[in-house]
Amino acid sequence: MIQVPFYSLDYVERDLGSSLAESVDAVIKSNWYIRGSRCSAFEEAFAAYCGAKVCVGVGNGLDALTLMLRASIQLGRLQQGDEVIVPANTFVATVLAVRAAGLVPVLVEPNPETCVLDVSRLAESCSEKTRAILVVHLYGRLTDMPAVCEFAKSRGLLVFEDAAQAHGACGVPYSSNAAAYSFYPTKNLGAMGDGGAVVTDDLELAQVVRSLGNYGSVEKYVNKYVGVNSRLDEIQAAILLAKLPHLDSWNARRQQIAARYCAEIKNPLVRVTPGPQNPKSHVWHVFPVFCERRDELQKFLKARGVETLIHYPIPPHLQEAFSGAVVRGELRHSALPIAEKLAKTELSIPMGPSLTDDQVSYVIESLNEFA
Ligand SMILES: *Cc1c(COP(=O)(O)O)cnc(C)c1O
């Protein structure tokens, strides 16, 4: 029996060796830990990597989402109480951020095949209060951005991206207002603690995000906004700077593994999501499979040493945190049978740059033996 952990960070040591420790040591010796040269250097490098004008490092992905929305409110582009369309099958942070900014999430069914926002449902989901769309590139798959942006343009809506699972996914050129990233350790680009960033072409928005994350001050001890403390520290920035040059090759390995999973998992009881037309538009943060007997499949794989997780077992609208929210006008949605079905049938199988070819073959073999 081969043991296959769900995810392992062994590849970081394999590919970076002692250079990471040296980068961290240089920060320690510099005696400068917040708002220093590493953070600026990483912001510049990550903006360039994303093909955007500017990146603002913040404390984590939830803050990146929240501050991007709050900055839009400060600039008068959104108002508290405005509705923001969000896919119903997302990690709870997306919905929490919209609420934290004083906006109303409108949960919309995903496309059951791709699991990202179903663009054909946008029109019916809008009300006169809808002002923005916050897409989630779930599992690392880019949402159909040209279609989303075209729809948004026709209705005068803003477009934001939750790119916390999609570092390095690229498609055709498009322009959202801003994208939020998380550098939680297990993301495709992860720090060794918390970290996040807002990436945008909008210099004005970036400046407001930066001051909101620094107590709302523009100049030291002069507070323009009611801000928070949310900054990317120098140690995390140094780690991210060292890892960034490897991101494309790590994503390429994920794409290679996904291609094998898509081609070789051949069990009528197990559905895989289709690979995208442009392979680079999916960075496979997670490889989901869908099975009516999901819990049985999970046990079966566990008995064979294959570890799996569920992303996510309870969709946001069924969480206790949001009970009564619809009645209070803090959340809007109609019946969400597709999102609920995905939550009941999804299983994430091992994925990541540490996986060996033998492990991949073993996972495929095990899935094909499930009956
Ligand atoms: C991880 C994640 C977040 C939150 O990021 P944190 O850094 O953990 O706050 C938000 N949205 C999605 C889709 C995520 O996967």
Side-chain angles (χ1 to χ4, degrees), residues 78-368:
L78 290 176
Q79 289 186 355
Q80 297 225 326
D82 284 352
E83 289 183 352
V84 180
I85 289 179
V86 175
N89 61 325
T90 184
F91 179 55
V92 72
T94 323
V95 183
L96 290 175
V98 177
R99 284 300 310 135
L103 301 161
V104 178
V106 177
L107 304 176
V108 172
E109 290 271 56
N111 174 317
E113 290 292 313
T114 61
C115 303
V116 294
L117 190 72
D118 187 344
V119 179
S120 72
R121 290 176 185 269
L122 285 174
E124 69 194 34
S125 309
C126 285
S127 80
E128 67 286 357
K129 285 185 179 165
T130 309
R131 292 287 176 273
I133 303 169
L134 171 51
V135 303
V136 181
H137 304 311
L138 196 73
Y139 305 141
R141 177 191 292 263
L142 278 193
T143 308
D144 183 354
M145 292 306 286
V148 170
C149 291
E150 196 188 331
F151 177 85
K153 205 170 159 197
S154 74
R155 303 281 181 123
L157 308 178
L158 302 179
V159 178
F160 299 100
E161 300 170 75
D162 181 340
Q165 302 188 354
H167 317 69
C170 39
V172 285
Y174 60 83
S175 56
S176 75
N177 293 83
Y181 286 85
S182 160
F183 304 118
Y184 183 79
T186 58
K187 306 287 179 174
N188 291 38
L189 178 63
M192 294 190 172
D194 277 312
V198 175
V199 172
T200 179
D201 281 339
D202 182 340
L203 303 181
E204 203 182 5
L205 186 79
Q207 208 216 340
V208 181
V209 169
R210 191 178 297 287
S211 40
L212 282 174
N214 192 40
Y215 311 113
S217 70
V218 176
E219 206 181 309
K220 206 168 187 187
Y221 306 131
V222 181
N223 301 90
K224 183 163 177 183
Y225 311 109
V226 178
V228 295
N229 174 357
S230 186
R231 303 175 293 218
L232 183 67
D233 70 67
E234 290 293 288
I235 288 187
Q236 300 311 330
I239 288 164
L240 292 167
L241 255 181
K243 287 173 98 175
L244 183 59
H246 297 268
L247 179 56
D248 282 343
S249 70
W250 290 335
N251 281 339
R253 177 61 183 153
R254 288 174 185 271
Q255 285 156 349
Q256 211 175 43
I257 295 166
R260 280 200 62 195
Y261 280 159
C262 287
E264 298 175 45
I265 296 173
K266 286 200 172 103
N267 182 334
L269 300 174
V270 179
R271 174 172 78 83
V272 301
T273 56
Q277 275 174 351
N278 170 5
K280 295 203 160 171
S281 68
H282 198 330
V283 291
W284 303 98
H285 173 62
V286 156
F287 191 97
V289 303
F290 297 88
C291 176
E292 298 286 338
R293 289 155 53 205
R294 187 263 315 274
D295 296 349
E296 259 179 85
L297 176 62
Q298 184 169 39
K299 274 198 206 115
F300 175 86
L301 293 173
K302 190 173 177 212
R304 287 167 179 256
V306 177
E307 206 177 64
T308 58
L309 289 177
I310 296 167
H311 296 97
Y312 297 91
I314 307 173
H317 69 285
L318 298 179
Q319 296 285 356
E320 190 180 345
F322 296 111
S323 68
V326 173
V327 177
R328 293 193 301 274
E330 295 168 2
L331 188 66
R332 184 163 75 76
H333 65 85
S334 18
L336 297 167
I338 297 175
E340 288 173 18
K341 174 97 188 273
L342 291 176
K344 281 200 184 102
T345 54
E346 197 273 349
L347 191 66
S348 305
I349 62 176
M351 169 54 78
S354 289
L355 279 184
T356 64
D357 289 343
D358 285 347
Q359 286 176 317
V360 174
S361 301
Y362 182 71
V363 172
I364 293 166
E365 206 178 288
S366 303
L367 277 159
N368 287 341

Side-chain angles (χ1 to χ4, degrees), residues 60-82:
N60 55 64
L62 175 59
D63 285 356
L65 287 161
T66 308
L67 296 182
M68 157 176 100
L69 296 170
R70 280 196 57 197
S72 304
I73 293 174
Q74 292 293 351
L75 289 167
R77 298 171 191 173
L78 290 176
Q79 289 186 355
Q80 297 225 326
D82 284 352

